[in-house]
Amino acid sequence: MEQQLARYYELKETQKKIEEELNDLRQKLLAEYGDSGGAEAGAYKLTIHYQERREYYDERVYNALPDPSLWRLMSRADAGKIASLLKLNVIHDGILEGTYERKHIPVLRVQKR
């Protein structure tokens, strides 16, 4: 048991270091190539595209809901839960106007040819 716990801890620490390095590289690549939408170097190709996400404000969503009991289904303005309610036609997109901010999140993709 102790061996498994030690290995798990070791792997989590390694994962943390890898994620930090990936984040640093991501920031550098975005700073250098973010405007161009990508680049090629040797056998590698970098593609950058932007994904639109909505960031909801709890108080605004609560005030916009037609039935306060719907808030119990969410408990906070979770984009996934709101998307589900929209898909099920429990609420419509019109009542959510002004309750969110649109953000463009860069998505990096590196391919080896």
Side-chain angles (χ1 to χ4, degrees):
M1 169 90 168
E2 186 177 346
Q3 269 185 330
Q4 291 174 333
L5 293 174
R7 182 66 178 149
Y8 184 86
Y9 179 81
E10 180 183 314
L11 289 173
K12 288 301 272 185
E13 290 298 311
T14 303
Q15 179 184 19
K16 193 184 303 182
K17 289 176 186 174
I18 290 172
E19 287 175 357
E20 287 173 5
E21 186 175 351
L22 280 171
N23 191 37
D24 289 343
L25 287 171
R26 181 179 189 279
Q27 294 303 321
K28 289 176 185 174
L29 289 170
L30 282 173
E32 194 167 338
Y33 302 106
D35 296 334
S36 64
E40 292 186 30
Y44 298 95
K45 180 180 178 183
L46 168 68
T47 307
I48 301 172
H49 69 275
Y50 291 85
Q51 186 178 64
E52 185 178 292
R53 292 190 188 159
R54 292 180 178 183
E55 188 173 292
Y56 291 93
Y57 298 101
D58 289 345
E59 187 176 326
R60 291 181 188 174
V61 171
Y62 178 77
N63 292 332
L65 292 174
D67 183 5
S69 65
L70 287 174
W71 185 251
R72 291 183 195 159
L73 295 173
M74 291 186 281
S75 74
R76 64 181 183 88
D78 181 301
K81 290 179 183 178
I82 292 173
S84 296
L85 290 174
L86 287 168
K87 192 173 186 178
L88 294 170
N89 292 321
V90 175
I91 57 174
H92 58 87
D93 207 23
I95 66 169
L96 295 174
E97 286 299 319
T99 63
Y100 58 86
E101 181 180 319
R102 293 177 193 260
K103 293 201 173 197
H104 297 284
I105 308 298
V107 178
L108 278 81
R109 182 176 183 187
V110 177
Q111 294 175 307
K112 187 173 182 179
R113 290 188 244 159

